[in-house]
Amino acid sequence: MKWVLPLWLLVLLPMTAGAQHVLSLDSCRRLALDNNKQLSVARTSKEMASYDVKAARTKYLPRVDAMAGYELMSKEVSILNNSQKNALNNLGTNAVTGMGNTVSDIIMGMVQDGSITPQMAQQLGQQMGALSPALAAMGDELGSTIRKAFRTNNRNMFAGSVMLSQPLYMGGGIKALNRVAELKETMADDNYDMLLQKVLYEIDATYWLVVSLRQKQKLAESFLGLVKQLDEDVEKMIREGVAIRADGLNVSVRVNEAEMTKLRVDDNLALAKMLLCQLCGLPIETNITLADEGRELSSADEPLPADAAWSVSRPELRMLQTAIGITEQAQRIVTAAHFRPQVLLTGGYLLSNPNVYNGFEQKFAGVWNVGVLVRMPLWDWHDGRYKLAASRAATTIAKLERSDLEEKINLQVAQERFKLREANHRLELSSKHVASAEENLRCASLGFREGVMSLSDVMAAQTAWEAAHTQKIDAEIEVQLSLLGLRKAMGQL
């Protein structure tokens, strides 16, 4: 069983090493960019804008639409009226009756003229009487056939069509719509860049906050060690009779204050690391260590000269410039819709049942068609003029907003430059102050051991030493934050 313990050590050592995550500033940035929900939304918005551009380009192409329908009518369309239908139904009867009267009159006239005898007239009348029913039936049947031929039978209507339309000239409206889609895609890109700058600024600021708190934690530990060492020295002096109990109580109070300070720094550091883990998309209980925790931070120089064109890279300015372009294209769209003609080439195929291309047939039949459609606005009660004026006002507003933002950005960059210079100067002074405080503490501690300096002098030197190091840590982080703020103001994160 001697091999069991080494085996467990081999298993646990990689787990212990894996539990500690060492993160650099670049790795924190990558994690934050990969896990930020707002950036994911912005990326999706960019994808949507690209689809809108593709959709706008289809406006140049012909469109083909298919339609089909069925309609049931309560009555059918009738070409003949009721009297005409009755006349056609009795066409033979009416014709034979009218013809019989006419023939009888002719025969009677021939008898009176002596052209034929009464016996011959009687024979002719009998023969006509025998033929009349057959002729009447044939005429009625013919009239009924004609009446049926005029029937539309359109109570059940079936129709379908395939239509093609190709824009020839739309007054520049399609071109303006495509330009608007492209500008919106550009705005989506700028919006993503703006959110990216915001996320990077937030993650960098939190990163340097953790670094500063970690350095303050080390300082608190060092100060606590100094105070405890002083407490031990004072206790020895009390036992030897060269110090009084009150001195020991004063040092004990200072030890308690140092412990409370360390506890407060530990809590703040734990909370700051939780926030950094949350921004990076890691579980908040992840044990992380930052690469810059033990590095000595120095002053930073300004990344750009005073006369550089820094404001051009701000995404907010680009978005407002894009908004100006969108409002200008909106004016062109209004002009195309209300003040310019629109020409369309149309074509298609229409079929119906019943159809009228070979009488009224109860079957599907259709016809091809080609045409040109021209639309010219004449009068719209100044609707277009009002919309055009509103678009021009929107352009003016966008230009004023861009000018105002540019002035504010100029002021912001100037302020950040002054803050960076001041932070660099404060760091230089604090570094000198630390050196003086350390020498003062060394002399006070040595003098206290030699008996030439009092306990209060040592405690004051320790307090000054702690304050000097705290100011140096704050100055170092202020330099990093000032540089970060200047880069953000210039849009160069």
Side-chain angles (χ1 to χ4, degrees):
M1 299 297 289
K2 294 181 179 180
W3 53 271
V4 175
L5 182 58
L7 179 62
W8 275 107
L9 289 175
L10 290 175
V11 173
L12 291 175
L13 281 176
M15 296 176 60
T16 305
Q20 184 75 19
H21 295 270
V22 179
L23 299 177
S24 64
L25 181 58
D26 290 337
S27 61
C28 289
R29 283 186 166 198
R30 286 193 297 269
L31 289 172
L33 297 183
D34 292 338
N35 295 282
N36 188 270
K37 300 298 187 298
Q38 292 182 347
L39 284 177
S40 298
V41 172
R43 280 191 289 267
T44 306
S45 298
K46 289 175 59 177
E47 185 178 357
M48 290 173 56
S50 66
Y51 291 143
D52 290 338
V53 170
K54 294 178 181 179
R57 289 173 181 168
T58 63
K59 302 298 182 183
Y60 290 109
L61 305 176
R63 301 184 66 87
V64 180
D65 299 309
M67 293 186 297
Y70 165 78
E71 188 171 1
L72 175 64
M73 298 184 178
S74 61
K75 295 180 180 180
E76 72 176 45
V77 176
S78 178
I79 298 176
L80 303 175
N81 56 35
N82 292 331
S83 61
Q84 291 171 337
K85 292 177 182 178
N86 292 330
L88 288 174
N89 285 333
N90 299 306
L91 178 62
T93 302
N94 295 334
V96 169
T97 301
M99 186 177 62
N101 294 331
T102 302
V103 170
S104 298
D105 292 338
I106 293 173
I107 293 173
M108 290 299 294
M110 293 175 66
V111 171
Q112 292 176 359
D113 294 340
S115 300
I116 59 173
T117 62
Q119 290 79 10
M120 294 177 65
Q122 185 177 5
Q123 291 177 358
L124 289 173
Q126 291 175 353
Q127 292 176 356
M128 291 297 298
L131 292 174
S132 294
L135 293 174
M138 292 175 60
D140 291 344
E141 184 178 358
L142 177 61
S144 178
T145 302
I146 295 173
R147 181 186 64 81
K148 291 178 180 180
F150 277 98
R151 184 184 176 189
T152 59
N153 194 18
N154 66 331
R155 288 194 61 195
N156 296 284
M157 289 289 296
F158 299 89
S161 68
V162 177
M163 298 297 297
L164 179 143
S165 60
Q166 170 63 56
L168 298 180
Y169 177 74
M170 303 301 290
I174 295 180
K175 184 177 180 180
L177 283 174
N178 275 266
R179 183 57 183 156
V180 167
E182 293 172 356
L183 290 173
K184 287 185 177 180
E185 184 180 26
T186 302
M187 183 173 286
D189 293 338
D190 292 335
N191 182 61
Y192 177 81
D193 291 342
M194 184 178 65
L195 291 176
L196 179 64
Q197 299 272 332
K198 179 182 177 182
V199 172
L200 291 178
Y201 178 82
E202 189 174 10
I203 195 70
D204 285 16
T206 308
Y207 180 90
W208 293 117
L209 174 63
V210 174
V211 171
S212 68
L213 289 174
R214 176 58 182 146
Q215 292 183 352
K216 288 183 178 180
Q217 185 186 49
K218 293 179 181 179
L219 175 62
E221 293 172 352
S222 299
F223 183 71
L224 180 59
L226 285 176
V227 176
K228 284 185 176 180
Q229 183 62 45
L230 180 62
D231 185 51
E232 293 176 359
D233 294 340
V234 171
E235 288 295 332
K236 292 179 182 178
M237 295 174 67
I238 292 175
R239 287 194 298 268
E240 293 175 359
V242 295
I244 61 176
R245 190 61 184 169
D247 294 333
L249 293 176
N250 289 333
V251 177
S252 297
V253 171
R254 178 61 61 88
V255 171
N256 292 334
E257 292 176 351
E259 290 177 345
M260 289 298 299
T261 301
K262 182 180 180 301
L263 179 61
R264 185 164 53 251
V265 172
D266 291 342
D267 292 340
N268 291 335
L269 177 60
L271 291 174
K273 285 188 174 183
M274 289 181 182
L275 176 59
L276 184 61
C277 290
Q278 190 270 330
L279 293 176
C280 293
L282 299 174
I284 60 174
E285 66 274 5
T286 304
N287 186 14
I288 61 174
T289 300
L290 302 186
D292 292 303
E293 287 184 5
R295 183 171 68 89
E296 184 73 17
L297 302 178
S298 59
S299 62
D301 297 327
E302 296 183 12
L304 291 176
D307 57 349
W310 38 261
S311 61
V312 177
S313 59
R314 281 294 290 265
E316 296 92 333
L317 285 175
R318 297 197 300 268
M319 290 176 67
L320 284 176
Q321 185 62 43
T322 304
I324 294 173
I326 291 176
T327 56
E328 290 174 348
Q329 295 301 320
Q331 297 177 29
R332 294 184 174 90
I333 293 174
V334 173
T335 301
H338 294 272
F339 300 101
R340 292 179 181 174
Q342 299 174 358
V343 183
L344 285 173
L345 174 65
T346 63
Y349 183 77
L350 176 66
L351 72 162
S352 63
N353 183 7
N355 70 85
V356 294
Y357 304 115
N358 187 24
F360 287 92
E361 290 183 312
Q362 295 296 315
K363 65 179 183 180
F364 283 100
V367 62
W368 294 96
N369 62 84
V370 177
V372 177
L373 177 65
V374 180
R375 174 185 174 272
M376 180 63 198
L378 296 179
W379 181 255
D380 59 0
W381 300 100
H382 301 297
D383 178 48
R385 184 177 299 178
Y386 298 146
K387 290 181 179 179
L388 187 60
S391 298
R392 289 171 178 167
T395 302
T396 303
I397 291 174
K399 290 180 178 179
L400 291 173
E401 289 178 348
R402 187 189 185 284
S403 177
D404 180 63
L405 180 60
E406 189 171 8
E407 292 175 358
K408 291 179 179 178
I409 289 176
N410 291 338
L411 178 60
Q412 182 183 6
V413 172
Q415 290 174 342
E416 294 297 334
R417 288 182 184 275
F418 286 127
K419 286 175 62 176
L420 182 57
R421 286 199 203 95
E422 184 179 353
N424 285 328
H425 184 62
R426 187 177 294 113
L427 179 57
E428 294 176 2
L429 294 178
S430 62
S431 298
K432 296 178 181 179
H433 188 39
V434 165
S436 300
E438 288 180 348
E439 179 63 20
N440 182 39
L441 178 60
R442 188 187 68 81
C443 294
S445 299
L446 182 60
F448 180 70
R449 293 190 188 98
E450 298 294 334
V452 296
M453 297 190 72
S454 64
L455 178 63
S456 59
D457 294 332
V458 177
M459 294 176 63
Q462 289 179 344
T463 302
W465 179 86
E466 181 192 22
H469 279 277
T470 301
Q471 291 175 1
K472 184 174 183 293
I473 293 172
D474 291 339
E476 290 173 345
I477 300 303
E478 185 178 358
V479 168
Q480 299 300 323
L481 294 179
S482 298
L483 180 59
L484 179 65
L486 179 58
R487 288 175 177 169
K488 182 178 184 295
M490 294 187 297
Q492 293 186 356
L493 284 179

